Amino acid sequence: MAAARRLLPRWAGSLRPVRGGGGPGSGNWDGDRGQGPRTGRGTGTGTGTGDRDGNRPRPAPLTPARLCPQISAAAAGALPPRVKVVEVGPRDGLQNEQSIVPTPVKIGLIDMLSGTGLQVIEATSFVSPRWVPQMADHTEVMQGINKLPGVSYPVLTPNLKGFQAAVAAGAKEVSIFGAASELFTKKNINCSIEESLERFSEVMSAARAASIPVRGYVSCVLGCPYEGKISAAKVAEVSKKMYSMGCYEISLGDTIGIGTPGSMREMLTAVMKEVPVGALAVHCHDTYGQALANILVALQMGVSVVDASVAGLGGCPYAKGASGNVATEDLVYMLNGLGIHTGVDLQKLMDTGTFICNALNRRTNSKVSQASCRL
Amino acid sequence: MGTVPSALKHCLSYQHLLKEQPWIGELVPPPQPGQESQTSGLPEYIKIVEVGPRDGLQNEKVIVPTDIKIELINRLSKTGLSAIEVTSFVSSKWVPQMADHKEVMRGIERHPGVRYPVLTPNLQGFHSAIAAGATEISVFGAASESFSKMNINCSIEESIEKFEEVVKSARNMNIPVSKRLYSMGCYEISLGDTIGVGTPGSMKRMLEAVMKEIPLSALAVHCHDTYGQALANILTAIQMGVAVVDSSVAGLGGCPYAKGATGNVATEDVIYMLNGLGINTGVNLYRVMEAGSFICTALNKKTNSKVAQASFNSGTIN
C-alpha cells in the first residue's frame, strides 16, 4: 500500500507522509453480498496554502492527483489531525434569520465566539443595507467587537466600494463569492459568472495592494435551486479561477444542502485536480440532513477547513421552513469524537448558541445543544 | 451564502424540485464503464429496517389509535421496504402505546416480500405474538448492566437467559428469529446507539470489535440522531461493509433519556443519502415521505426528517 502524501494547512506544520488506508480487516464474510476486497490507497500531492498576512501562495505546480477512488478505503484512518472551523454564524447565519438583530447583540455574539477558541469568525458583510438590512450596521459591528489576537474576523465584500468601507472600518481579511451556476449568478447579482469574477478582480487588486488576504466562496457546488444539477467540472473551473486570482482559500458551498457523500466526493475529486486540498474548505448546508456525512467524506479526502454556524443559525432561503447552515456544535462534537483537534471549547460554544437563540427568541438548530437540554 | 435579496426567496416544493431536477428523488444511475464508481467498496444494496411503528411510536407521547397504526404500516408496506417492525408484545402496563399489539398484528395487510417482525421480551410475549400471527420476532439485550437493570430489572445475563427460552421456542417452531445474540441463533444483530452519543470514531472502533465475533452480513446499525451524528455514523458503518440499517419514518420517537431531544434517524434522510451514493434500497422515497406526512398529521407534530422539511412547506404534503 503506497503512502499518501497529503497537503496540510500551514498552521499544522510542514508536509508529512500519511499512510493511505485500506479497508477494514477482511474475513470470510458471506460472499453473497458480492463485496470485493476493500483495499485501496490514494496518493495526492499539493503545495502550501496562503497564510494570513496576505502573502500570495506560490503558484502550485498542480501535479494531477490520483486520489483514492473508493469512499470506503478513505475511511480507514486518513483523517486530518486538525481542522480549522470557520464560524459563519454572525454573517451567513444572521443574514438568513428573519428578525433584525440589534448591534450590541451581534457584538456580544462575536465576543462570546471569540472566547471559545475559534480561529476564524466571519463578522459581517459590507453590502448595501438596501439588499441586506441585517448587515446594515457593518461598520459599528466591525468597530465594536473585541478583536482577540490570533483570531481572524473576515468580512464579506461584494465589490470595491464594500472593500474600501471594510478596510476603513478596520477589516484585516475579506471574502468574495462566486458561484458554479450561471443562473444563480444572474438571479443573485444580475451578471454572468465571468462578469462577477471581473468585478472581483478590482477587489483582488486592492486587497493585494493593502496586503489583505482574500477568501473565495463558490456557491451551488452540489446543486442549484434554478439550474438543478451542477457539473463537478464547472465547480473546478470556477474554483481554479478564484484561486488563480489570489484567494488563499476556496470555500465550496452546498448552498441548498442538496448534496450527498456521493456528489461531494465527485465534486471534490474534480476540484482537487485544480486547487490544492490545503486551500479548500467545505461549507455544507444541512437542509436535507446530509451535512455531517458530507463533511466526513470531505475530511476523508483531506479537506481540513470546515465552515459552520453556531446553533445552526440561518434557514434556507430556497426552502421555506427548512434548515440551512450546519451547527458548529454538532460539527465540533463529531470532530471531537474523531479525535481531531479544533481548539474549540464545546461548552462555551453551546453557551454562545444559547445566548443568541434567546436573543432571537428561537430554538437552536443544534442537536447537541438540544440533547444537552439547551433548547 | 452571499447576498440574497429578499425578492429571491421563494419556496420550492418537492414536486417542483422533482419536475425540474428529477435526479433528486431518484437513484443515481450506475456508473458507465470507465467511470469511477461512486460505490466501489460500499454495499450495492442496503436493507432498510423500518422501526417507526414500534420504536418510533413507542417513544411518542401521544397514544396513537389502532387504526392509525394499521394505516401507517399499510402505507409503509407499499414503499418497497422489506422489513417493518410492527409492534411489541410487551405488557401494556409498561408500554401503553403497544397495548393494541394483537389488534395491530391481525389488522395489517401482509404484503408478499415484506417481513413484519415484532418485539418479544419474554416467553409469554412470544406465545402471544405467535397466536396473533407473528412470523418473525426480535429480542434485545444491552451492552450496559445499568441500562439492563433500569430497563428490565435484571442483569444482562438474566435477560439473555429469558431470551434463550424465547429463541428455543421459536426455533422449535421453525420461525426465523430476528436480531441480537447471534450465537443463540439470531440471524441478525442490530447494534443500537441508544442515546445517539456515538460518532464516526466510536462507531468504527465498536464495529471493528464486533466484526471479529460476528460476520458482517449478520450486522445492522440502529443509530439515533440525538446528537446529529446518525448519518455520519451510518456512512461509517456502510463504508465498513454493513448493509442493514434501521431507521424510523419521519424520525418518529424522541429520546426518552434527553427531554426534547430527537431519537431515531429519519428513514427519508437515510434513503436520500443512500440514493445519492447510488446504493439500491428498493424503497421509494416519495412514498415514505407520504407515509411520514400521514403519521405526523395524525400525531399533530412536525416531521423530524430534514428531507421532508425541505421538500414541503411545513413537513406535510400540500
Side-chain angles (χ1 to χ4, degrees):
Chain A
M1 223 175 284
R5 257 164 60 86
R6 183 177 47 78
L7 179 71
L8 290 172
R10 185 176 169 275
W11 47 261
S14 52
L15 288 170
R16 58 178 170 79
V18 174
R19 174 166 281 274
S26 59
N28 294 327
W29 303 138
D30 178 3
D32 290 347
R33 292 230 174 265
Q35 289 156 351
R38 276 186 305 282
T39 58
R41 70 282 170 277
T43 57
T45 56
T47 59
T49 64
D51 52 41
R52 277 204 206 94
D53 62 11
N55 291 330
R56 171 77 178 89
R58 290 193 306 286
L62 290 170
T63 330
R66 274 185 303 113
L67 296 156
C68 178
Q70 300 168 354
I71 297 183
S72 67
L79 294 174
R82 310 173 85 98
V83 161
K84 178 175 78 174
V85 176
V86 175
E87 172 60 46
V88 299
R91 202 280 308 166
D92 192 11
L94 292 186
Q95 187 168 303
N96 287 301
E97 291 288 327
Q98 307 280 29
S99 39
I100 300 288
V101 176
T103 308
V105 174
K106 286 185 180 128
I107 291 171
L109 169 64
I110 295 167
D111 286 347
M112 281 186 83
L113 288 168
S114 293
T116 63
L118 285 160
Q119 293 175 270
V120 185
I121 302 164
E122 201 176 55
T124 185
S125 178
F126 281 78
V127 68
S128 160
R130 224 170 20 138
W131 291 116
V132 188
Q134 181 75 276
M135 300 284 127
D137 55 359
H138 38 66
T139 304
E140 292 81 355
V141 168
M142 206 59 209
Q143 288 172 344
I145 57 175
N146 182 22
K147 294 188 189 143
L148 250 56
V151 182
S152 184
Y153 301 90
V155 300
L156 233 66
T157 52
N159 49 39
L160 189 60
K161 185 168 160 218
F163 173 81
Q164 287 160 345
V167 172
K172 296 276 185 284
E173 180 175 329
V174 301
S175 308
I176 60 167
F177 52 93
S181 156
E182 289 288 357
L183 211 47
F184 184 87
T185 308
K186 180 87 189 145
K187 288 197 181 254
N188 217 16
I189 50 177
N190 200 24
C191 64
S192 70
I193 295 178
E194 194 59 43
E195 286 163 342
S196 76
L197 295 180
E198 276 166 23
R199 289 183 197 175
F200 291 138
S201 65
E202 291 186 309
V203 175
M204 298 305 304
S205 306
R208 203 171 304 133
S211 294
I212 286 188
V214 181
R215 188 184 208 231
Y217 282 99
V218 181
S219 301
C220 297
V221 299
L222 298 178
C224 171
Y226 309 106
E227 277 187 28
K229 197 153 168 46
I230 295 291
S231 82
K234 187 70 183 174
V235 180
E237 180 196 325
V238 175
S239 305
K240 180 182 179 176
K241 282 192 179 141
M242 295 182 76
Y243 185 66
S244 314
M245 280 165 71
C247 294
Y248 79 88
E249 194 168 86
I250 306 293
S251 174
L252 302 163
D254 180 13
T255 308
I256 50 172
I258 214 159
T260 64
S263 55
M264 170 63 82
R265 185 194 144 268
E266 188 193 346
M267 183 274 295
L268 280 177
T269 302
V271 173
M272 281 158 72
K273 290 179 180 146
E274 308 293 347
V275 180
V277 69
L280 291 177
V282 288
H283 182 116
C284 296
H285 278 199
D286 203 37
T287 318
Y288 289 78
Q290 309 294 306
L292 285 187
N294 293 344
I295 288 166
L296 181 61
V297 164
L299 295 174
Q300 290 170 345
M301 293 179 74
V303 172
S304 59
V305 185
V306 182
D307 299 0
S309 174
V310 62
L313 290 179
C316 177
Y318 305 97
K320 186 179 164 206
S323 59
N325 287 303
V326 68
T328 314
E329 299 91 315
D330 299 359
L331 169 68
V332 169
Y333 184 89
M334 181 174 82
L335 297 175
N336 284 353
L338 283 164
I340 293 175
H341 177 81
T342 61
V344 179
D345 183 321
L346 182 54
Q347 286 297 330
K348 287 187 182 163
L349 190 58
M350 289 201 284
D351 289 343
T352 309
T354 303
F355 163 78
I356 191 62
C357 286
N358 285 343
L360 284 166
N361 193 27
R362 58 160 281 177
R363 261 180 80 118
T364 180
N365 271 339
S366 156
K367 289 211 162 168
V368 170
S369 282
Q370 285 171 27
S372 311
C373 297
R374 291 153 183 266
L375 297 167
Chain B
M1 288 183 58
T3 314
V4 180
S6 48
L8 261 175
K9 300 183 188 189
H10 63 277
C11 174
L12 279 175
S13 70
Y14 189 73
Q15 289 92 332
H16 176 127
L17 273 174
L18 272 186
K19 202 166 51 134
E20 312 265 297
Q21 292 125 46
W23 52 280
I24 289 171
E26 305 287 314
L27 202 55
V28 166
Q32 303 303 315
Q35 264 185 2
E36 272 178 1
S37 167
Q38 295 284 356
T39 62
S40 45
L42 296 177
E44 284 169 8
Y45 170 80
I46 285 187
K47 178 176 86 174
I48 307 255
V49 175
E50 172 58 48
V51 301
R54 202 281 307 166
D55 192 8
L57 291 186
Q58 186 168 309
N59 287 301
E60 291 289 333
K61 294 208 167 54
V62 173
I63 299 289
V64 177
T66 306
D67 57 335
I68 302 278
K69 285 182 181 134
I70 290 171
E71 176 63 23
L72 171 65
I73 294 163
N74 289 344
R75 285 179 185 232
L76 290 169
S77 290
K78 293 171 189 157
T79 61
L81 286 161
S82 59
I84 302 167
E85 201 176 56
V86 165
T87 187
S88 179
F89 280 78
V90 67
S91 160
S92 48
K93 218 179 17 150
W94 296 116
V95 188
Q97 180 76 274
M98 299 285 127
D100 55 0
H101 38 66
K102 286 201 194 86
E103 291 79 1
V104 170
M105 204 66 218
R106 293 198 188 117
I108 56 172
E109 291 164 8
R110 305 277 198 118
H111 288 236
V114 185
R115 297 160 87 151
Y116 300 93
V118 301
L119 232 67
T120 54
N122 52 37
L123 202 55
Q124 188 192 354
F126 171 76
H127 287 307
S128 191
I130 301 306
T135 49
E136 183 169 325
I137 62 167
S138 309
V139 295
F140 55 92
S144 150
E145 283 292 354
S146 325
F147 184 89
S148 197
K149 185 81 191 149
M150 299 285 282
N151 215 23
I152 50 178
N153 200 25
C154 60
S155 69
I156 296 179
E157 191 57 43
E158 286 163 341
S159 75
I160 290 181
E161 281 164 17
K162 284 190 194 171
F163 300 142
E164 255 179 322
E165 296 181 312
V166 175
V167 172
K168 264 197 209 129
S169 303
R171 291 175 81 182
N172 281 343
M173 296 176 71
N174 247 359
I175 289 173
V177 176
S178 127
K179 305 193 186 194
R180 287 69 170 185
L181 313 169
Y182 182 74
S183 55
M184 227 186 250
C186 297
Y187 81 85
E188 197 168 83
I189 309 293
S190 175
L191 303 163
D193 180 13
T194 308
I195 50 172
V197 282
T199 63
S202 55
M203 170 64 80
K204 182 163 178 285
R205 286 190 294 275
M206 185 273 294
L207 281 175
E208 277 169 353
V210 172
M211 279 157 64
K212 288 180 183 149
E213 309 292 338
I214 297 176
L216 196 55
S217 55
L219 289 179
V221 288
H222 182 118
C223 297
H224 277 198
D225 203 38
T226 317
Y227 289 77
Q229 309 293 306
L231 284 189
N233 292 344
I234 289 167
L235 178 64
T236 300
I238 68 179
Q239 285 176 343
M240 293 175 75
V242 170
V244 183
V245 177
D246 297 359
S247 60
S248 175
V249 61
L252 288 179
C255 177
Y257 306 99
K259 188 181 163 200
T262 54
N264 287 303
V265 68
T267 305
E268 297 92 319
D269 299 0
V270 172
I271 292 174
Y272 186 90
M273 180 173 79
L274 297 179
N275 281 357
L277 282 164
I279 293 174
N280 185 22
T281 60
V283 182
N284 183 311
L285 174 56
Y286 194 62
R287 289 204 190 143
V288 177
M289 288 204 288
E290 282 181 318
S293 176
F294 163 77
I295 191 62
C296 287
T297 304
L299 284 166
N300 194 27
K301 65 167 275 184
K302 258 185 77 143
T303 180
N304 274 334
S305 156
K306 288 213 161 167
V307 170
Q309 282 169 31
S311 307
F312 307 112
N313 278 3
S314 54
T316 53
I317 298 182
N318 295 330

